[in-house]
Amino acid sequence: MSLVTYLGKQILGVLSAYRQDDVVIHICGVYPQHDNRLRLFFPHGHALQQGDLATIHLDNRTGVDEFDSSIRVYRASYKGRVQAVDGDWAVLEPRECMLLHGFTAVENLREPGYDYPADPRPERPVPLSTLASLPPIAGRDRENKVGVLITLAPEQPHTTVLAFLSTENDDVFLITFPETFKSRQLKRNPHCFFVMDERATFTFERAIEWNYTIIEGQASLVPNGSTVFEEIRQAFIDKNPWEMPFFIREDLEMYHIRCERLLCPGRPAAQAKIADGR
């Protein structure tokens, strides 16, 4: 089955790729093809070359302005290879892609011979957050807001979508669990990026329109059971009551990403130090 069936002919994507010892993140227009390639448009240009590896988060929330406990939207982390470039355009062919609807996998694409790359990096304890109380929450954090976490996996970045809280200083709070891939990635390298989707609605009113904030920072762990942990947990419940079953799990991990700087789409993240951290 083609991704076009689920995602439509035009969506927005968050693309990340390694550029030598650096990371570059783009917000781009995505045009799924019936053979599961993706035609990408970069309004400010790009430096991708044929053969480059890139990961792009896809979701089709067109017309879906509210979530419920089933998260009934199609979303995917598409690991691709640049097949062709033409000016501000590029074409990605799939290496691996799992398309989810809610919590169910509906498509699983994998090129012949592909396997997840080995990751010999040891897992280490994530530094603890020094926060003593919850800073003022950003007023733009509406109930339907989600963001894309980008972690520094081997070969190409890993992307995952999840709910978040952000502060007026652009710090971000996330929740996950020890068994998740993103948790294991952060324990191998806490340097990460978070892309906040700031759109108020998800209907295409123009050909391409977006409003994203890209944050680069270091993840730290908020100690489970601490006063600030409980304060942040309650803020998550207030914002996303449909995720209550997740928030009350005893093994909940809460990450604080302290914003080191804001990035412009397509600009290298000079502080990433990929060669040492990947």
Side-chain angles (χ1 to χ4, degrees):
M1 185 69 72
S2 171
L3 292 176
V4 177
T5 304
Y6 303 103
L7 299 176
K9 297 181 178 180
Q10 180 191 45
I11 54 177
L12 299 178
V14 176
L15 180 142
S16 56
Y18 297 137
R19 182 187 298 172
Q20 297 179 344
D21 291 340
D22 219 327
V23 177
V24 63
I25 298 171
H26 286 278
I27 310 300
C28 53
V30 182
Y31 302 84
Q33 306 296 292
H34 288 286
D35 60 3
N36 291 322
R37 294 182 302 162
L38 303 177
R39 291 188 69 241
L40 309 177
F41 174 66
F42 302 86
H44 301 294
H46 65 88
L48 295 172
Q49 299 179 10
Q50 186 175 1
D52 284 353
L53 302 180
T55 305
I56 185 166
H57 167 73
L58 306 171
D59 71 62
N60 183 11
R61 286 195 282 161
T62 300
V64 180
D65 291 336
E66 295 182 2
F67 283 138
D68 60 19
S69 59
S70 298
I71 316 180
R72 289 174 290 192
V73 296
Y74 291 104
R75 61 196 189 280
S77 180
Y78 181 110
K79 294 180 175 65
R81 180 186 294 105
V82 178
Q83 185 183 65
V85 294
D86 181 13
D88 292 340
W89 293 82
V91 176
L92 280 188
E93 58 183 354
R95 302 183 76 209
E96 188 271 341
C97 174
M98 180 177 290
L99 180 71
L100 299 174
H101 185 262
F103 301 107
T104 302
V106 294
E107 289 292 335
N108 196 348
L109 308 176
R110 187 172 295 213
E111 71 175 358
Y114 176 84
D115 200 359
Y116 295 110
D119 192 346
R121 299 174 300 169
E123 295 184 15
R124 296 186 175 93
V126 177
L128 297 180
S129 173
T130 58
L131 280 178
S133 61
L134 175 62
I137 295 297
R140 64 177 179 270
D141 270 9
R142 291 177 287 271
E143 289 78 4
N144 62 334
K145 292 305 175 216
V146 296
V148 178
L149 175 67
I150 299 170
T151 51
L152 305 180
E155 293 190 354
Q156 57 199 109
H158 177 72
T159 65
T160 186
V161 64
L162 67 173
F164 70 95
L165 291 175
S166 65
T167 72
E168 292 179 353
N169 292 326
D170 289 317
D171 292 313
V172 170
F173 298 100
L174 314 172
I175 60 114
T176 187
F177 306 101
E179 70 272 15
T180 63
F181 187 75
K182 53 183 169 283
S183 173
R184 298 197 300 272
Q185 288 298 300
L186 291 173
K187 289 166 185 167
R188 291 183 172 113
N189 186 351
H191 196 107
C192 58
F193 303 84
F194 195 77
V195 183
M196 293 190 286
D197 187 339
E198 306 282 12
R199 287 176 291 169
T201 65
F202 303 94
T203 301
F204 266 111
E205 298 171 352
R206 300 178 183 174
I208 295 178
E209 183 178 27
W210 55 78
N211 184 12
Y212 290 84
T213 300
I214 305 174
I215 288 172
E216 178 182 7
Q218 297 284 338
S220 58
L221 199 62
V222 181
N224 193 322
S226 65
T227 300
V228 66
F229 179 96
E230 297 302 335
E231 189 178 4
I232 297 170
R233 186 197 333 236
Q234 186 58 53
F236 265 109
I237 293 172
D238 293 342
K239 179 186 175 185
N240 301 108
W242 46 270
E243 284 197 314
M244 172 74 79
F246 299 101
F247 298 137
I248 62 176
R249 276 181 51 170
E250 292 184 0
D251 60 345
L252 177 75
E253 290 183 342
M254 183 182 296
Y255 287 94
H256 168 212
I257 302 174
R258 185 178 297 279
C259 178
E260 294 180 347
R261 63 173 180 159
L262 301 178
L263 300 182
C264 296
R267 298 286 182 87
Q271 299 178 5
K273 299 180 182 177
I274 298 305
D276 297 328
R278 212 164 23 157

